[in-house]
Amino acid sequence: TLGPFFVSKFEMTQGQWLRATGRNPSHYAAGESAAGKERTLVHPVEQADFAECMETTRRLGMTLPTEAQWEYAARAGTRTPWSTGVHPDDLVRYANIADQFCRLNGGLTTSTYESWNDGWAVHAPVGSFFPNAFGLYDAHGNVFEWCRDGAGSYAEADHAPGDGFRTAEGTTRVIRGGGFSFRAIHARNSFRGTAPGESRTTNIGLRPVRVVSPR
């Protein structure tokens, strides 16, 4: 059972991170282009590690979501593998994931790709696709999003009341939501990706939350 919380409508953008920290760590940074698409500060920030994301959101009066908060927000009241339903093809208007455009514009030849074409080889500007039923954009695809929990087994860690936070040994963290170079299966509501907390990759960003505290 979760307590009330606010969740960002969008993944945090490069422009927001730049205003908060004075720099833009993103590999696919604003002002450059890929496959004929110019990137802007409205693209999601990436290549920020877990500790940086925690500190930056803390200074803004926010934090990273727990897995429980993230999945509740991404599901948007549904019980299906994706908030769009049971078929991966239903994601075509909702998620920027590995598809034919990615394959034809720099995608790895060893990877597999979905059959459709969403027009983006790397991450897209936030809000480029349809939102879920809660009005949240890019809960599936674009970039994975850091969660606050450690990447331990559900059976081995108790969850905290209110936000469902689970402690776990080590520095490996959970990432959720899938990314532009990953297939639909990795964008399922329940899929748990993991990454060392010090990871800085083009496929991991963040979506801040703010807990609603009683006065």
Side-chain angles (χ1 to χ4, degrees):
T1 301
L2 293 174
F5 65 99
F6 292 110
V7 58
S8 176
K9 187 174 182 177
F10 305 103
E11 293 168 330
M12 192 170 189
T13 67
Q14 295 180 24
Q16 290 169 327
W17 186 275
L18 180 63
R19 288 195 296 273
T21 68
R23 64 187 189 87
N24 181 5
S26 304
H27 176 78
Y28 295 117
E32 301 174 358
S33 62
K37 302 286 185 72
E38 184 176 354
R39 292 188 293 273
T40 72
L41 290 173
V42 185
H43 281 249
V45 67
E46 20 94 350
Q47 291 209 140
D49 69 22
F50 176 80
E52 287 178 311
C53 291
M54 284 292 290
E55 174 59 18
T56 299
T57 54
R58 184 196 65 78
R59 289 193 288 104
L60 295 172
M62 298 181 285
T63 188
L64 296 177
T66 64
E67 277 197 273
Q69 290 173 327
W70 188 95
E71 189 166 327
Y72 177 84
R75 284 189 177 280
T78 66
R79 294 180 178 271
T80 48
W82 300 273
S83 65
T84 52
V86 299
H87 301 293
D89 288 357
D90 293 336
L91 286 173
V92 64
R93 297 180 299 168
Y94 290 82
N96 175 19
I97 57 179
D99 67 348
Q100 295 304 304
F101 194 87
C102 180
R103 180 181 69 83
L104 295 170
N105 290 276
L108 296 175
T109 57
T110 54
S111 298
T112 53
Y113 298 88
E114 304 299 344
S115 61
W116 62 83
N117 182 328
D118 63 26
W120 293 96
V122 296
H123 49 62
V126 300
S128 295
F129 295 80
F130 287 3
N132 69 13
F134 283 174
L136 307 178
Y137 293 83
D138 304 308
H140 303 300
N142 224 23
V143 290
F144 278 95
E145 299 165 13
W146 285 113
C147 289
R148 191 152 43 93
D149 312 66
S153 166
Y154 287 148
E156 295 174 356
D158 293 331
H159 62 273
D163 63 7
F165 177 73
R166 294 175 185 269
T167 58
E169 294 183 1
T171 60
T172 300
R173 299 289 165 174
V174 175
I175 53 175
R176 291 292 204 112
F180 63 83
S181 63
F182 288 78
R183 294 187 64 193
I185 192 171
H186 300 107
R188 288 180 295 119
N189 291 317
S190 61
F191 181 80
R192 303 177 81 205
T194 62
E198 62 272 19
S199 294
R200 300 174 186 273
T201 79
T202 59
N203 253 299
I204 306 178
L206 69 151
R207 183 186 302 267
V209 300
R210 186 195 300 270
V211 174
V212 180
S213 300
R215 292 185 179 275

